[in-house]
Amino acid sequence: MFKDLDPILHSQLRLAVMSLLITVKEAEFTFLKEKTNATAGNLSVQINKLKEAGYIEVKKQFKDNYPQTLCNITAAGMEAFEKYVRDLQSYLQTGTT
């Protein structure tokens, strides 16, 4: 009856990062940090978990001699996010039937 929710996406911060990345082509670490109000350390750990799951890609480069971290969602991440939303909706619909 109830589908298992993806434990990677069921974290508030990871879900917020994925939600932001769906709306933009790619995002800088500083943008994600600002939008989620996360600490740099916590955000870094959560981004790494999403990367290890194959849900996002992380590119590290330099811009004007400063390190820059860019994140973008992968096809697998998009699919996982859409499935998570569908599964969550099934919880809400169960209560109304």
Side-chain angles (χ1 to χ4, degrees), residues 15-97:
L15 185 59
V17 168
M18 292 291 287
S19 297
L20 288 167
L21 290 176
I22 280 178
T23 63
V24 295
K25 182 179 178 191
E26 67 181 6
E28 290 186 38
F29 182 88
T30 52
F31 171 82
L32 296 172
K33 182 177 174 286
E34 177 185 305
K35 292 295 185 183
T36 61
N37 290 320
T39 64
N42 190 15
L43 181 58
S44 181
V45 168
Q46 302 312 319
I47 283 175
N48 196 46
K49 287 183 181 188
L50 289 168
K51 179 184 171 190
E52 288 174 357
Y55 291 174
I56 65 171
E57 292 176 340
V58 178
K59 292 186 287 187
K60 295 189 180 267
Q61 60 189 28
F62 283 90
K63 180 180 178 183
D64 299 326
N65 292 327
Y66 291 97
Q68 181 184 45
T69 301
L70 297 169
C71 302
N72 65 294
I73 195 165
T74 64
M78 182 69 77
E79 186 177 314
F81 185 85
E82 290 170 351
K83 182 181 182 317
Y84 180 84
V85 170
R86 283 193 309 272
D87 291 347
L88 194 56
Q89 287 173 336
S90 74
Y91 277 69
L92 300 173
Q93 291 170 354
T94 301
T96 60
T97 56

